Amino acid sequence: MNTETTTAGLGRRQALRLAGLAGLAAALPGCGRGFGGKNDDDGKIELNMVWWGDAQRAQFTQKTLELFHAANPDIRVRTEYQDSSPYKDKLAARFAASDPPDLMAMRFDSLREYADRGTLLDLATHTDRLDLSGLTPQATALGQVGNQNFGVPSGLNTIGFVIDKSLTDKYGVRIPDGDTWSWTDLATFAQQVSKASKGKVYGTNFEAFTVANLLVFARQRGEDFFTADGRLGATAATVTAWYQMIESLRAAGGFPPAGFIDQNNGTSPAQSYLAKKQIASQIIPTNNLLGYNQACGGALQLLRIPGETQATRRGQSVDTPALWSIAAKSKHPQETLKLLNFLVNDVQAGKAAGATRGVPPSTKVAEQITATLEPDNRRSNEFLAALQKEKLPASYPYPVGASKLTNILKTISTEVEFKRMTPAAAGEKFMTDARKAIAG
Amino acid sequence: MTTLAPARTRRRQDRAGYLFLLPWFGGLLFMVVPFFASLYLAFTHYDLLTAPRWAGLANFRQMLGDATLHQSLRVTLVYTVVSVPLSLIVALAVAMILDRGVRGLAIYRSIYYLPSLLAGSVAIVMLWRYIFSYHGIVNDALAWFGIQGPGWATDPRYALGTLILLHVWTFGSPMVIFLAGLRQIPAMYYEAASMDGASPWRQFRSVTLPLLSPIIFFNLVQALIASFQTFTQGYVISNGTGGPGQSTLFYNLYLYQKGFAEFDMGYASSMAWLLLVIIAGFTGINFLAARFWVFYDN
C-alpha cells in the first residue's frame, strides 16, 4: 500500500464521518427547539413565553408556571428571558423571522409599534377567555388603543422619590414631607445634603432623559406629554423648564457635576449611585423599591414626586413596566389566553409572583396578596393602592416612534450637561427631533 | 494489496476534497442569501413587522439629510484616521524591540498579543469603562497630583479618545505579523549597511521600512477594514446608545440602532451598502497608493 492511497482512504472515511456529523448538527436545532409552540412528541401543547428581567424574576416566574402546569397538564410553557435592551432587539428580530412568541412582555413605549402594525392579538374580542373585570379602568387603559386592547399590565407601578435616611441622619438634614413637597423643597434639601457632607454626597440625582420622569413634569404643567390619539403633546417650554431646573440644581451643588454620572451605568439597584452612597435621593420605579432598599442598606423612604400639590394638575399616574401581549400569529391563541388569564386572575399565581413585576393589575389579587409580601413590597403596594384611589390623569400608550425618544433625550441631556447647549435650545431641539421620530 | 489506478485515486481525492468543502458551501448559503436580501431591502421601507414596500432610492436620498448618519460617519472616520496609524506605529515599535532577541520572547509575544484577543470582548470594554470612569483608577491616580480628572467615558469630549486608546492597546495582532516580517529580512543587509556607517535610524529607513512595506501594507488594509466595522466597543461603552452625546456613535452602531431599535431595516440595509462602497473606496485608494511605496524584494 503506498502512502497516497492511505491518505486518500483515511481522508474519505473521515470526510464521510465529518459529513455525517455536519448533517446531524444541521438536523439538531430542527428537532430540539419546537418553534413557536407546536405539539410535542408527548402530545402536549407547547407555548413560548418571553420576558425581560433578572434571575430572581426568573425564579418567581417559574414558580407561577409550575402552578399553571399542575392545573393544565396538557400545556407546557417554555420561557426565555434576558436583559431589557437585548430583549427589545431580539423580539423585533423574531417577528421579522415570522417566529413570534405566543406570550410576550411588551415595553409600554413599544406597544403601538407592534399593535399599529397588526402583529398583536386584540384581547378585547376575547373577553370570554380573558377576564379583565378585576382591573381599574386606568389599568385597563394602559393596553388600549382606541376600542382595541393589545396588552394587560404585567404589574402596576409608578415613579416615586426615594431618600436614604441613613445619609440624612448622618448629616443632620431633615427629610421634607413626601406628600406635599415642592420642587423648590427638593432643591433646598439637595443643597443642604451636599453642603453638610462637604461634597462627599450629592443631595439628589435623577435621569433627565427618562421619558417617564419628564412625562410627570409635563402633566404638572397641564400638558399631556403624549396625547390619547398618539401625538406629542409636550411643548418646548416644558422641556426647557425641565433642563433649567436640573441646571440650577447642578449650579447650586445639589446635583452632581457634569461627567460625574455615567448615564449608561446600568439600571440595576446594586450598580446605582444611590447604593454607592454617592447621592442621597433619586427617582425610582416603585416596583424596584425592594431591590433598591436591599442594595442601600434598608433606610430608604418613599416619597411622591415633588410638586404634586402645588402644580396646576396632578402629574403622577398609574403605569406599568411591561404589558403581556399575545402574538396575532400565535398558533395556540386559546391556550395562550388561558395562560394570560391565569397570570392575571389566579391568586396563588399572584402570590408566587410576588411583586417582581409591580403590583398585580387585578385589585382583587392585589388585596389578597398584600399581607404575604415583604415589608418593602407591601410599602410600594400600599403607595400604589392609595394612588389608585385618587383622581389622576390617564396614561396613554406611547405613539409609534416614541421608543426613539430616550436616545434623543440622552443626547440632548449630555449637551446641556456639558454646557454645549442652553436649556432653551434643548427645548427647541427636542421638539424638532421628537416630531420627526414620531412622524416617521 | 493492489495499487489503485492513478485516475481513480485522483477521483477519490477530489471527492474527499469536495466532501470537506461541503460545510463551507453550507456556510456560503448564510452569506449569499443575506447578501442579496440586504441588497433588495436597501431599496425598500421595511419595519421588520410588516412586508417590505418598494421605495426606490428613497433611503439613499434620506441619507443625504440625515445629520445623525453624518455624525456617525465623522466618528468612524476620526477613529480610523487616528487609531489605525497609531496602533500600527506602536505595533511596529514593540515588534522591533522584541525582535532584538529579548529573553523569554515567547512570553512577551503572548502577553502583548493577549489584548488583541480580548479587546473586542464585552468584558474588557466593561473593565475599560470602570478604569476610565469618573471614580475609576485613572482619576484616582490623577487625584494624587491634585487633579480632578474628567469622566473619560462620560464626557463627550473624551469618550472617543478613550476608545482610541483602547484600540491602540490592542496592537498585538499586527505586531505578531510585523515580527514575522522582521524575521524575514536577511541580516546581511544590516551588516552591509553598518559597514557603510549607516546609523540605526538610517538603517531603519533604508532597510527595514522598504523591506517591510508589503507587511505594513497588509496590516494597514486589514486594520482599516476592521476599523470601519467597529461596533462592540461603542456598543458596550455606551450601552448601545452611542453616547455620551453621540460622541461614540460608530457607523455600525447607528446602523444597528436603525435596524433593530427603530424598526427601519430598509434604511439599515442601505447603510450597510454605503459602508461597503466606502470600505471598497478606501481599500482601492490604498492599492493605488501602494504602487508608490510598497516594495517587493523578489
Side-chain angles (χ1 to χ4, degrees):
Chain A
M1 186 196 254
N2 64 35
T3 22
E4 212 178 346
T5 42
T6 312
T7 8
L10 267 179
R12 189 193 49 164
R13 263 205 304 277
Q14 279 186 336
L16 281 173
R17 209 176 295 156
L18 219 91
L21 274 176
L24 194 69
L28 270 175
C31 54
R33 272 205 60 192
F35 279 106
K38 59 182 153 203
N39 287 14
D40 234 321
D41 295 346
D42 51 6
K44 284 185 181 177
I45 288 171
E46 191 177 271
L47 302 180
N48 183 209
M49 164 184 175
V50 301
W51 48 273
W52 74 83
D54 55 9
Q56 198 194 26
R57 187 176 286 175
Q59 267 177 10
F60 285 115
T61 307
Q62 203 49 49
K63 268 194 236 159
T64 56
L65 289 180
E66 274 158 24
L67 293 172
F68 181 74
H69 286 153
N72 300 277
D74 54 329
I75 304 174
R76 178 188 308 164
V77 185
R78 187 169 55 82
T79 67
E80 287 165 38
Y81 74 95
Q82 56 244 294
D83 211 25
S84 64
S85 107
Y87 175 84
K88 194 175 91 179
D89 307 340
K90 200 175 162 188
L91 188 64
R94 284 195 59 176
F95 271 91
S98 299
D99 177 33
D102 298 289
L103 183 68
M104 74 205 86
M106 176 62 65
R107 286 167 64 99
F108 191 51
D109 66 358
S110 302
L111 180 72
R112 291 190 73 153
E113 306 264 15
Y114 286 88
D116 287 9
R117 289 173 175 126
T119 57
L120 300 181
L121 193 71
D122 179 7
L123 305 174
T125 59
H126 296 280
T127 42
D128 50 328
R129 286 257 167 180
L130 179 64
D131 176 16
L132 295 180
S133 61
L135 278 68
T136 63
Q138 281 168 346
T140 315
L142 293 169
Q144 279 171 332
V145 178
N147 293 324
Q148 296 170 295
N149 184 7
F150 297 105
V152 183
S154 62
L156 299 175
N157 77 345
T158 184
I159 54 170
F161 221 99
V162 283
I163 295 184
D164 191 336
K165 195 167 180 298
S166 70
L167 290 174
T168 53
D169 283 352
K170 185 174 171 188
Y171 297 114
V173 178
R174 198 181 56 85
I175 296 178
D177 176 1
D179 284 335
T180 59
W181 67 330
S182 67
W183 290 101
T184 324
D185 294 335
L186 169 68
T188 315
F189 164 80
Q191 219 178 323
Q192 282 170 348
V193 173
S194 301
K195 212 172 158 192
S197 71
K198 297 200 171 60
K200 256 191 255 157
V201 180
Y202 289 95
T204 194
N205 176 69
F206 47 87
E207 288 166 350
F209 54 83
T210 299
V211 176
N213 298 350
L214 193 46
L215 203 138
V216 170
F217 187 74
R219 281 218 203 90
Q220 289 186 349
R221 290 170 54 94
E223 293 166 6
D224 278 328
F225 196 87
F226 299 123
T227 61
D229 56 349
R231 283 179 303 117
L232 184 71
T235 61
T238 292
V239 180
T240 300
W242 173 250
Y243 282 112
Q244 266 165 355
M245 183 181 76
I246 292 170
E247 282 312 290
S248 62
L249 275 171
R250 202 192 306 277
F255 213 78
F260 184 94
I261 299 286
D262 183 350
Q263 55 174 228
N264 304 307
N265 193 47
T267 46
S268 82
Q271 290 171 301
S272 67
Y273 293 90
L274 198 65
K276 291 179 199 154
K277 306 275 175 190
Q278 289 171 336
I279 57 168
S281 67
Q282 78 170 76
I283 296 177
I284 64 160
T286 51
N287 58 315
N288 292 345
L289 179 64
L290 174 66
Y292 272 98
N293 207 18
Q294 277 172 355
C296 295
L300 290 190
Q301 304 273 310
L302 181 59
L303 280 63
R304 296 184 175 205
I305 298 297
E308 288 286 284
T309 48
Q310 296 82 9
T312 33
R313 69 162 173 165
R314 294 296 301 274
Q316 290 209 276
S317 54
V318 173
D319 291 291
T320 180
L323 301 143
W324 289 123
S325 293
I326 298 176
K329 279 190 185 165
S330 164
K331 290 196 188 74
H332 303 288
Q334 299 307 322
E335 287 79 4
T336 312
L337 282 161
K338 196 175 194 178
L339 172 61
L340 181 53
N341 192 55
F342 177 81
L343 293 177
V344 174
N345 294 312
D346 191 279
V347 176
Q348 293 310 318
K351 272 184 191 158
T356 175
R357 291 190 169 85
V359 177
S362 157
T363 43
K364 280 182 233 157
V365 177
E367 275 164 23
Q368 294 201 48
I369 75 158
T370 303
T372 67
L373 291 174
E374 294 190 51
D376 282 326
N377 281 334
R378 204 181 311 157
R379 204 145 51 110
S380 54
N381 258 25
E382 281 159 4
F383 186 81
L384 209 86
L387 209 58
Q388 273 183 286
K389 290 189 185 115
E390 298 170 19
K391 200 173 171 323
L392 300 173
S395 217
Y396 309 112
Y398 292 15
V400 173
S403 53
K404 297 175 197 171
L405 294 190
T406 300
N407 259 356
I408 291 172
L409 281 167
K410 267 191 174 174
T411 304
I412 294 174
S413 303
T414 307
E415 296 297 314
V416 176
E417 183 177 337
F418 289 95
K419 304 222 175 293
R420 308 204 295 192
M421 197 183 269
T422 63
E428 293 301 328
K429 172 89 174 132
F430 174 75
M431 293 312 284
T432 318
D433 290 357
R435 281 201 190 109
K436 216 189 286 171
I438 288 171
Chain B
M1 186 179 253
T2 50
T3 317
L4 294 166
R8 227 179 123 195
T9 313
R10 161 80 51 82
R11 236 181 299 131
R12 284 190 135 196
Q13 280 182 328
D14 283 356
R15 227 172 25 218
Y18 286 124
L19 268 173
F20 270 110
L21 276 175
L22 260 185
W24 183 80
F25 281 115
L28 193 68
L29 265 183
F30 287 98
M31 282 275 299
V32 172
V33 174
F35 184 85
F36 286 106
S38 110
L39 183 60
Y40 166 69
L41 290 175
F43 296 96
T44 64
H45 291 305
Y46 178 42
D47 62 16
L48 288 172
L49 303 176
T50 50
R53 284 170 293 125
W54 186 255
L57 290 172
N59 287 329
F60 293 95
R61 266 198 298 274
Q62 191 189 331
M63 285 178 180
L64 294 175
D66 184 350
T68 314
L69 178 113
H70 303 159
Q71 167 67 10
S72 73
L73 269 179
R74 233 181 341 259
V75 168
T76 310
L77 269 179
V78 169
Y79 180 78
T80 302
V81 168
V82 180
S83 77
V84 168
L86 218 59
S87 66
L88 289 187
I89 289 168
V90 173
L92 182 56
V94 176
M96 288 185 67
I97 293 168
L98 291 185
D99 190 41
R100 287 285 156 87
V102 184
R103 242 206 276 179
L105 175 67
I107 296 169
Y108 282 108
R109 210 162 39 192
S110 312
I111 290 174
Y112 286 119
Y113 186 60
L114 208 59
S116 289
L117 294 177
L118 300 175
S121 76
V122 172
I124 291 293
V125 185
M126 292 288 277
L127 179 72
W128 207 253
R129 208 165 85 179
Y130 285 114
I131 292 174
F132 283 94
S133 76
Y134 199 86
H135 308 279
I137 299 165
V138 175
N139 278 358
D140 281 352
L142 285 176
W144 293 336
F145 304 101
I147 302 166
Q148 171 57 58
W152 298 99
T154 54
D155 188 326
R157 287 166 298 183
Y158 297 100
L160 187 60
T162 307
L163 283 184
I164 289 175
L165 214 63
L166 169 63
H167 182 79
V168 172
W169 177 60
T170 64
F171 57 82
S173 65
M175 182 206 68
V176 169
I177 298 170
F178 276 138
L179 205 53
L182 288 170
R183 290 285 156 104
Q184 296 290 315
I185 301 175
M188 62 176 185
Y189 289 149
Y190 291 107
E191 285 160 14
S194 62
M195 256 194 280
D196 288 342
S199 66
W201 172 243
R202 181 74 211 204
Q203 287 183 23
F204 173 71
R205 264 185 48 208
S206 304
V207 180
T208 313
L209 272 188
L211 289 177
L212 205 60
S213 59
I215 307 284
I216 298 175
F217 177 62
F218 172 80
N219 271 338
L220 181 68
V221 171
Q222 289 280 318
L224 214 65
I225 293 174
S227 177
F228 273 111
Q229 297 175 330
T230 304
F231 174 79
T232 317
Q233 287 90 327
Y235 183 88
V236 176
I237 212 147
S238 70
N239 257 1
T241 62
Q246 296 188 342
S247 63
T248 63
L249 186 65
F250 289 97
Y251 188 85
N252 267 358
L253 186 51
Y254 182 50
L255 186 156
Y256 176 82
Q257 281 181 1
K258 274 284 167 194
F260 289 98
E262 300 188 4
F263 301 93
D264 203 348
M265 194 52 90
Y267 193 71
S269 299
S270 60
M271 280 183 69
W273 282 86
L274 177 64
L275 184 65
L276 180 82
V277 171
I278 291 173
I279 292 179
F282 271 87
T283 311
I285 291 169
N286 251 318
F287 270 92
L288 286 178
R291 288 189 203 166
F292 302 102
W293 66 273
V294 177
F295 171 73
Y296 292 96
D297 194 17
N298 36 15

